[in-house]
């Protein structure tokens, strides 16, 4: 089968903007090549468990980031690619007119089409290695060997076509905050669970039960398989759904690694689904959106405990605001 690769050249800010653009069009299967990731490895900003980095990668460490999306080579998809190119030009025009602020630079936003053969689906696997995400959780792809050290818990993952390997800042921020605030016997709701990584993380950290909710049926399947793989099916249930609509589950902690607009949309519903003093941990929030999201979270009835940052991203840890003298 023939495919077409749409490769977009941009800055790191531009890659984030293009990712959100594609997500708004229902395209969530992308591969990102960001040389800044290599810098983090070389500077030991994360505890990656490899001892060798290919010299060819070091030699190209100054290249610009790229994002690639893959499409079956059909007439319908050729039209879709053309539509994306037009939207990219509009995005660049908005950036030049300072619609996103004075300091925003998306880079070239140059899009090229490349014919490719089948097999691209597995090419990214060589870059996904075991990584210690929190003090105790090591995320390991199913195809890699890893011997745990004292106190480490292994979270095996096969992301398939679903988002969530633990290496992205938004996911790792959530996992670190879960480890910090989670206590045993908590009930957790994971909204937009993707590959199931946060749901499984909660189970491994000792929570009582987890409900994972995901709108994408393919992701529901992948998450369910990962739950079985990690032996936590007795604690974790994954179901298809849109945010918390039609869900009666009452949680002690809700985690949501979503886009900022969905976090704001979810906040009022999250409060209704949380027990007394329940915690709401949200991520997927660009720093430039931090204040806007924090304001909406407060309006929904939460007090913010902390806003940890990593790179261009942040998470918001909030608790249901306690009543005082009958008032909030």
């Amino acid at each position: 089968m023939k495919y077409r690769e749409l490769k977009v050249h941009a800055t790191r800010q531009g890659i984030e903007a293009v990712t959100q653009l594609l997500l708004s069009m229902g395209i969530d299967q992308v591969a990102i090549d960001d040389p800044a990731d290599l810098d983090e490895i070389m500077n030991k900003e994360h505890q990656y468990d490899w001892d060798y980095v290919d010299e060819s990668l070091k030699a190209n460490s100054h290249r610009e980031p790229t994002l690639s999306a893959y499409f079956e080579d059909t007439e319908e998809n050729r039209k879709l690619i053309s539509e994306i190119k037009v939207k990219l030009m509009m995005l660049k025009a908005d950036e030049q007119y300072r619609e996103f602020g004075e300091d925003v630079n998306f880079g070239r936003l140059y899009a090229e089409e490349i014919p490719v053969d089948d097999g691209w689906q597995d090419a990214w696997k060589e870059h996904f290695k075991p990584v210690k995400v929190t003090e105790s959780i090591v995320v390991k792809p199913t195809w890699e060997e890893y011997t745990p050290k004292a106190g480490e818990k292994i979270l095996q993952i096969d992301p398939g076509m679903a988002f969530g390997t633990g290496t992205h800042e938004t996911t790792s921020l959530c996992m670190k905050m879960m480890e910090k605030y989670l206590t045993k016997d908590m009930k957790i709701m994971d909204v937009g669970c993707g590959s199931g990584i946060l749901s499984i993380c909660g189970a491994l950290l000792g929570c009582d039960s987890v409900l994972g909710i995901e709108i994408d049926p393919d992701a529901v399947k992948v998450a369910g398989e990962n739950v079985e793989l990690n032996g936590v099916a007795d604690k974790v249930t994954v179901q298809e759904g849109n945010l918390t609509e039609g869900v009666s589950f009452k949680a002690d902690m809700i985690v949501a690694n979503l886009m900022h607009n969905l976090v704001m949309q979810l906040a009022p519903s999250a409060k209704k689904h949380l027990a007394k003093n329940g915690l709401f941990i949200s991520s997927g929030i660009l720093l430039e959106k931090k204040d806007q999201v924090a304001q909406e979270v407060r309006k929904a009835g939460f007090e913010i405990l902390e806003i940890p940052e990593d790179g261009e991203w942040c998470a918001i840890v909030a608790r249901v605001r306690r009543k005082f003298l009958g008032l909030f």
Side-chain angles (χ1 to χ4, degrees):
M1 183 178 292
K2 297 291 185 181
Y3 289 83
R4 300 192 75 80
E5 175 187 1
L6 180 67
K7 178 179 282 190
V8 182
H9 301 257
T11 62
R12 201 173 201 192
Q13 282 184 324
I15 292 298
E16 304 296 353
V18 174
T19 300
Q20 294 200 33
L21 169 64
L22 294 179
L23 284 171
S24 72
M25 299 175 70
I27 302 166
D28 58 0
Q29 301 173 15
V30 300
I32 296 173
D33 179 12
D34 186 351
D37 293 335
L38 179 63
D39 291 339
E40 292 176 356
I41 294 169
M42 301 306 295
N43 294 328
K44 301 186 182 301
E45 293 182 20
H46 299 288
Q47 301 180 50
Y48 291 88
D49 286 286
W50 51 50
D51 300 314
Y52 170 76
V53 178
D54 193 287
E55 291 296 329
S56 65
L57 290 177
K58 298 179 187 178
N60 292 300
S61 62
H62 299 296
R63 68 193 182 281
E64 64 183 334
T66 61
L67 177 149
S68 293
Y70 297 86
F71 306 86
E72 287 186 24
D73 193 2
T74 64
E75 183 65 28
E76 180 180 0
N77 282 337
R78 285 173 182 255
K79 291 180 180 178
L80 177 59
I81 290 172
S82 296
E83 181 183 350
I84 294 170
K85 287 181 176 180
V86 171
K87 288 182 179 291
L88 287 173
M89 288 189 288
M90 294 170 64
L91 184 65
K92 183 62 182 176
D94 286 343
E95 179 245 299
Q96 291 177 327
Y97 281 108
R98 300 292 185 263
E99 294 291 332
F100 303 98
E102 293 294 325
D103 298 326
V104 173
N105 175 19
F106 291 157
R108 293 193 292 157
L109 292 187
Y110 168 66
E112 59 175 325
E113 284 185 64
I114 306 170
V116 294
D117 292 322
D118 201 358
W120 61 268
Q121 299 98 322
D122 294 326
W124 60 273
K125 287 186 176 181
E126 63 184 84
H127 303 293
F128 180 19
K129 302 291 182 179
V131 56
K132 190 170 184 179
V133 179
T134 75
E135 290 296 320
S136 64
I137 300 291
V138 175
V139 177
K140 182 188 82 66
T142 54
W143 55 88
E144 290 284 336
E145 296 294 328
Y146 181 81
T147 302
K149 300 176 177 64
E152 291 181 345
K153 299 179 177 69
I154 303 300
L155 196 165
Q156 294 194 82
I157 204 82
D158 187 350
M161 300 308 290
F163 175 79
T165 63
T167 58
H168 194 274
E169 295 94 331
T170 61
T171 311
S172 62
L173 279 168
C174 270
M175 294 176 70
K176 289 171 183 174
M177 292 300 100
M178 288 174 70
E179 184 177 68
K180 180 175 180 178
Y181 288 94
L182 190 149
T183 59
K184 287 188 177 181
D185 302 327
M186 270 190 171
K187 294 182 178 180
I188 296 176
M189 187 187 302
D190 177 10
V191 182
C193 65
S195 63
I197 188 169
L198 297 181
S199 296
I200 298 166
C201 176
L204 293 179
L205 289 172
C207 76
D208 183 59
S209 63
V210 186
L211 174 63
I213 303 171
E214 174 57 54
I215 195 171
D216 182 352
D218 291 330
V220 171
K221 179 176 180 295
V222 170
E225 292 170 350
N226 285 321
V227 167
E228 293 284 350
L229 178 66
N230 285 274
V232 293
D234 60 326
K235 290 187 174 183
V236 181
T237 301
V238 181
Q239 72 178 48
E240 185 176 346
N242 183 17
L243 298 180
T244 58
E245 291 179 12
V247 177
S248 59
F249 190 83
K250 198 79 168 180
D252 301 294
M253 176 186 288
I254 291 178
V255 293
N257 185 13
L258 302 167
M259 296 172 63
H260 77 277
N261 58 321
L262 291 177
V263 171
M264 293 190 294
Q265 180 182 337
L266 172 64
S269 177
K271 183 175 180 292
K272 295 176 183 177
H273 284 81
L274 280 168
K276 182 181 179 181
N277 299 329
L279 293 167
F280 179 34
I281 299 175
S282 56
S283 190
I285 305 162
L286 286 165
L287 292 180
E288 63 205 53
K289 301 292 184 181
K290 176 177 66 176
D291 293 340
Q292 179 185 0
V293 178
Q295 181 180 0
E296 290 301 315
V297 170
R298 290 189 183 97
K299 282 172 57 178
F302 292 93
E303 58 176 325
I304 293 178
L305 303 181
E306 62 174 305
I307 305 179
E309 299 178 2
D310 189 352
E312 296 179 295
W313 300 91
C314 70
I316 295 177
V317 182
R319 180 173 56 200
V320 174
R321 192 182 300 136
R322 284 174 276 192
K323 292 182 179 181
F324 180 68
L325 297 179
L327 300 173
F328 281 102

